[in-house]
């Protein structure tokens, strides 16, 4: 093992810092714009480190900030070892790491290994090279089917709609091979059977680790290994979910795990070892495979992003994920919102059966959004999440209680989902609108120029400057919760107090800590003890005793 220490890290470094961390996801292009081009930048993130410190998070995860033509919000990376000039320079990045470490915050960067941008030098070389060349062997090029090769090599579909294959044309107009892209055509998939691809990502992991990065978020971790045996067989239809025996040709194949074992060896070259969290949209019982200590160490549990506001659903998800994490040796993760899903106050304010895509496609008009219910439930769910053992991943603006911006004009949409589905689905721009910092500056303090996605007028009500001094604001709730959470996260215990099937989800942690959520709509009895924090006002019953209203969470310390 090479001894690589990080000059910028704050000693003494705890190798287990990630197990119970609160990680704040920054979508850099929409966080803070210091150079007035309408796009957030690295210096903008640095300028907000004091805000993040005061919020009480432990780590900051940066969505991609690498050079990119933004065909997919930066998840189309043209160079894995540089900063997009629109966002700054490597010096800006180093300054951010230094400022974060100075404030005691860790930095996690997003790594996108399934595909590069079509602007990446490798893909440009592949385009200029002949079929069968070493340059093409880094990607997945195939001849088309049929006498003229005009039929795609397989039926595989892009996650953004349409075929996952695009055909190349020579400069003289002659059609030639097809290449695979599980996402946009500007995101060609790499061939992870190619040793050069594997080695290059090790170089990238070391590049950022050497710059003081503490961990990595691994994009589409379940997609790297593919069964490319000819003839290419059909993939499992997405509607039916992935088979749990690892037999899909495209996702969650057993071979993927050897790739991450290799990554673990790189992480362990460092002191403390670098951490990682897998984005793997796979069956619950297979998520924890990615989280084994011999692999990435942690994996996102996205189940709460899909759950209704329902006691039984929450309890089942909590119980099973804690159990799986314990089996794998990881700690569990919890996510209510991120840059790919509809913000949770909006989800909870729509009737249970609503398809969020339909709501966004109706410009946020149908069905009607019940904002009061949505925010009340969101605050209750957030407080519950923050009481759980494991890592909580929160998404920028979540701490302000922001709703999805569902009425972005069609001509300003950026998500490739919009064009790839032929304008059927609007995509994810509604949760990526730049953050409102204040109410008096242009762009609500995001920057001096018109932001790259339009901010609605109602953002004024959610600005940091408005919420920071309001004791009942969602920002105040998150700040108080994160301050208290540091005590409760000194252990990974959880004991159920409520019965399965009850509308109340009540568990205790060590030292008399209790978290009680009333998922119902009528008030429930409030357990005795000192109320530490509540997601909404408590009620008093006729006999004068305090009650826990519906759709509310309370933290209590037993007397
Ligand atoms: C992941 C990212 C998403 C991106 C996709 C392709 O799912 O979270 O934003 O579009 O990968 O890179």
């Amino acid at each position: 093992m090479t001894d690589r220490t990080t000059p910028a890290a704050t000693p003494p470094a705890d190798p287990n810092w990630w197990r119970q961390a609160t990680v704040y996801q920054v979508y850099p292009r929409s966080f803070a714009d210091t150079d007035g081009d309408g796009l957030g930048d690295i210096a903008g993130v640095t300028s907000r480190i004091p805000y993040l410190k005061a919020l009480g998070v432990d780590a900051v995860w940066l969505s991609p900030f690498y050079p990119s033509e933004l065909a997919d919000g930066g998840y189309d990376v043209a160079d894995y070892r540089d900063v997009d000039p629109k966002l700054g320079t490597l010096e800006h990045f180093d300054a951010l790491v230094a400022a974060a470490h100075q404030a005691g915050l860790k930095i996690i960067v997003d790594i996108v290994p399934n595909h590069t941008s079509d602007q990446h030098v490798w893909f440009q070389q592949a385009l200029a090279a002949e079929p069968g060349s070493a340059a093409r062997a880094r990607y997945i090029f195939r001849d088309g089917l049929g006498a003229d090769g005009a039929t795609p090599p397989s039926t595989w579909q892009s996650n953004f709609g349409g075929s996952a294959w695009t055909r190349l044309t020579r400069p003289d107009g002659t059609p030639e091979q097809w290449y695979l892209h599980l996402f946009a055509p500007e995101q060609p998939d790499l061939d992870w059977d190619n040793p050069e691809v594997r080695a290059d990502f090790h170089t990238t992991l070391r590049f950022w680790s050497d710059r003081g990065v503490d961990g990595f978020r691994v994009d589409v971790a379940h997609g790297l290994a593919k069964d490319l045996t000819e003839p290419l067989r059909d993939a499992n239809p997405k509607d039916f979910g992935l088979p749990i025996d690892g037999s899909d040709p495209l996702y969650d194949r057993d071979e993927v795990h050897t790739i991450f074992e290799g990554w673990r060896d790189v992480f362990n070259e460092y002191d403390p070892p670098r951490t990682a969290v897998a984005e793997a949209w796979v069956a619950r019982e297979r998520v924890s495979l990615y989280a084994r200590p011999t692999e990435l160490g942690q994996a996102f549990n996205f189940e709460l992003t899909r759950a209704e506001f329902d006691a039984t659903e929450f309890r089942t998800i909590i119980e099973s994920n804690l159990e799986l994490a314990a089996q794998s040796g990881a700690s569990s993760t919890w996510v209510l919102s991120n840059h790919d899903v509809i913000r949770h106050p909006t989800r909870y304010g729509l009737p249970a059966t609503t398809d969020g895509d339909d709501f966004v496609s109706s410009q946020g008009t149908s069905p009607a959004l019940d904002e009061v219910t949505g925010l009340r439930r969101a605050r209750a769910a957030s407080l519950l999440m923050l009481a759980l053992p494991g890592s909580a991943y929160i998404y920028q603006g979540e701490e302000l209680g922001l709703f999805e911006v569902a009425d972005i004009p069609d001509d300003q949409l950026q998500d490739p989902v919009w064009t790839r589905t032929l304008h059927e689905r609007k995509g994810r721009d509604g949760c990526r609108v730049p953050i409102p910092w204040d109410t008096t500056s242009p762009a609500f303090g995001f920057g001096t120029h018109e932001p790259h996605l339009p901010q609605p007028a109602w953002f004024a009500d959610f600005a940091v400057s408005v919420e920071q001094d309001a004791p009942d604001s969602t920002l105040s709730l998150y700040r108080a919760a994160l301050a208290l959470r540091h005590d409760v996260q000194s252990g990974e215990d959880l004991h159920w107090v409520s019965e399965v099937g009850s509308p109340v989800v009540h568990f205790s942690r060590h030292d008399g800590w209790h978290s009680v959520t009333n998922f119902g709509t009528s008030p429930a009895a409030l357990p005795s003890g000192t109320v530490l924090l509540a997601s909404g006002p408590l009620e008093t019953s006729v006999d004068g005793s305090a009650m826990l209203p519906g759709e509310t969470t309370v933290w209590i310390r037993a007397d």
Side-chain angles (χ1 to χ4, degrees):
M1 183 171 116
T2 330
D3 180 27
R4 292 165 189 261
T5 43
T6 307
T10 344
D14 171 11
N16 286 318
W17 66 264
W18 51 276
R19 292 191 73 86
Q20 308 253 38
T22 308
V23 183
Y24 185 95
Q25 180 188 359
V26 168
Y27 190 75
R29 292 174 176 84
S30 297
F31 195 59
D33 169 22
T34 56
D35 62 5
D37 63 357
L39 269 188
D41 43 49
I42 296 290
V45 184
T46 310
S47 73
R48 300 295 177 178
I49 289 288
Y51 169 78
L52 297 172
K53 179 70 184 163
L55 179 58
V57 301
D58 303 302
V60 180
W61 148 31
L62 299 170
S63 276
F65 51 83
Y66 314 108
S68 171
E69 289 303 306
L70 303 182
D72 179 22
Y75 284 90
D76 46 321
V77 178
D79 181 350
Y80 290 89
R81 304 197 275 271
D82 204 352
V83 172
D84 190 333
K86 300 186 282 296
L87 270 64
T89 61
L90 280 170
E91 287 66 40
H92 287 133
F93 182 83
D94 292 342
L96 167 59
V97 173
H101 285 168
Q102 182 73 33
L105 305 179
K106 308 287 184 193
I107 291 280
I108 294 171
V109 298
D110 218 309
I111 288 290
V112 188
N114 180 66
H115 42 264
T116 69
S117 154
D118 61 351
Q119 304 302 310
H120 192 284
V121 63
W122 276 3
F123 196 70
Q124 293 299 315
Q125 289 169 356
L127 291 181
E130 288 302 309
S133 58
R136 289 217 172 166
R138 296 171 181 136
Y139 293 90
I140 301 170
F141 282 88
R142 291 291 180 275
D143 293 333
L145 304 178
D148 54 2
T151 307
S154 75
T155 57
W156 298 343
Q157 295 292 298
S158 151
N159 282 287
F160 294 151
S163 172
W165 296 94
T166 288
R167 193 173 196 186
L168 298 178
T169 315
R170 291 187 198 284
D172 68 3
T174 330
E176 54 129 327
Q177 284 196 302
W178 300 71
Y179 69 90
L180 180 71
H181 52 86
L182 294 183
F183 293 88
E186 296 87 351
Q187 295 169 293
D189 278 47
L190 288 164
D191 186 347
W192 273 87
D193 279 339
N194 186 327
E196 198 186 349
V197 170
R198 293 191 183 217
D200 194 70
F201 272 86
H202 286 191
T203 304
T204 295
L205 296 176
R206 291 192 180 101
F207 178 86
W208 294 109
S209 299
D210 289 343
R211 295 198 101 87
V213 154
D214 302 281
F216 298 89
R217 178 263 187 191
V218 184
D219 191 65
V220 198
H222 58 310
L224 274 48
K226 298 174 178 80
D227 180 6
L228 300 172
T229 317
E230 302 280 353
L232 303 174
R233 61 200 166 86
D234 290 348
N236 218 54
K238 272 178 79 188
D239 300 351
F240 295 106
L242 294 171
I244 59 163
D245 59 359
S247 63
D248 187 83
L250 294 178
Y251 295 106
D252 197 26
R253 299 193 56 74
D254 291 334
E255 307 90 85
V256 80
H257 296 290
T258 59
I259 298 172
F260 297 131
E261 284 165 8
W263 287 30
R264 172 52 55 188
D265 291 341
V266 176
F267 299 148
N268 287 350
E269 290 169 8
Y270 292 85
D271 178 21
R274 297 322 189 223
T275 68
V277 56
E279 184 209 30
W281 293 89
V282 303
R284 177 189 286 164
E285 48 277 75
R286 304 229 355 144
V287 172
S288 54
L289 300 179
Y290 296 78
R292 289 179 285 204
T294 47
E295 297 190 29
L296 297 176
Q298 215 179 36
F300 282 127
N301 150 24
F302 290 125
E303 294 192 52
L304 292 181
T305 69
R306 292 188 275 205
E308 301 297 346
F309 186 78
D310 175 84
T312 306
E313 263 197 80
F314 266 66
R315 177 159 179 157
T316 308
I317 290 170
I318 295 167
E319 270 181 320
S320 31
N321 282 286
L322 288 178
E323 203 178 303
L324 286 167
Q327 280 167 19
S328 72
S331 59
S332 192
T333 61
W334 310 104
V335 183
L336 287 165
S337 280
N338 66 25
H339 67 298
D340 288 331
V341 301
I342 294 188
R343 285 186 178 278
H344 63 282
T346 298
R347 291 203 310 270
Y348 294 146
L350 295 168
T353 52
T354 311
D355 177 334
D357 283 331
D358 291 347
F359 170 74
V360 173
S361 297
S362 75
Q363 298 286 104
T365 57
S366 169
L369 174 67
D370 178 346
E371 292 185 8
V372 173
T373 299
L375 191 55
R376 185 171 60 235
R377 290 177 173 180
R379 291 166 56 108
S382 297
L383 203 51
L384 186 164
M385 170 178 84
L386 294 173
L388 293 170
S391 304
Y393 285 81
I394 62 181
Y395 176 53
Q396 64 177 43
E398 165 179 339
E399 78 281 18
L400 303 174
L402 283 184
F403 289 91
E404 188 83 359
V405 182
D407 56 356
I408 299 175
D410 291 355
D411 61 0
Q412 295 193 52
L413 292 171
Q414 299 175 6
D415 191 339
V417 166
W418 171 239
T419 43
R420 294 286 298 173
T421 62
L422 307 177
H423 300 179
E424 201 180 293
R425 286 166 49 210
K426 291 198 181 240
R428 303 158 292 176
D429 292 320
C431 63
R432 301 176 177 183
V433 174
I435 293 299
W437 294 97
D438 66 54
T439 54
T440 48
S441 318
F444 296 115
F446 165 70
T448 51
H449 191 267
E450 200 178 324
H452 69 109
L453 282 169
Q455 297 162 305
W458 54 262
F459 260 32
D461 298 339
F462 295 83
V464 171
S465 64
V466 171
E467 293 203 18
Q468 67 189 355
D469 300 319
D472 296 334
S473 70
T474 304
L475 179 56
S476 297
L477 177 69
Y478 269 74
R479 280 185 175 164
L482 292 176
L484 288 165
R485 179 180 152 88
H486 281 125
D487 293 342
V488 77
Q489 295 307 52
S490 60
E492 296 190 24
D493 58 305
L494 180 146
H495 310 283
W496 292 104
V497 179
S498 56
E499 300 295 327
V500 174
S502 162
V504 172
V505 169
H506 178 176
F507 55 85
S508 68
R509 306 280 311 271
H510 54 83
D511 296 332
W513 261 85
H514 290 251
S515 173
V516 193
T517 304
N518 181 1
F519 281 86
T521 45
S522 28
L526 191 68
S528 66
T530 307
V531 172
L532 301 173
L533 191 60
S535 67
L538 300 179
E539 282 176 16
T540 312
S541 70
V542 274
D543 68 3
S545 55
M547 301 288 288
L548 179 61
E551 303 180 331
T552 305
T553 296
V554 67
W555 287 0
I556 290 175
R557 195 188 295 277
D559 297 325

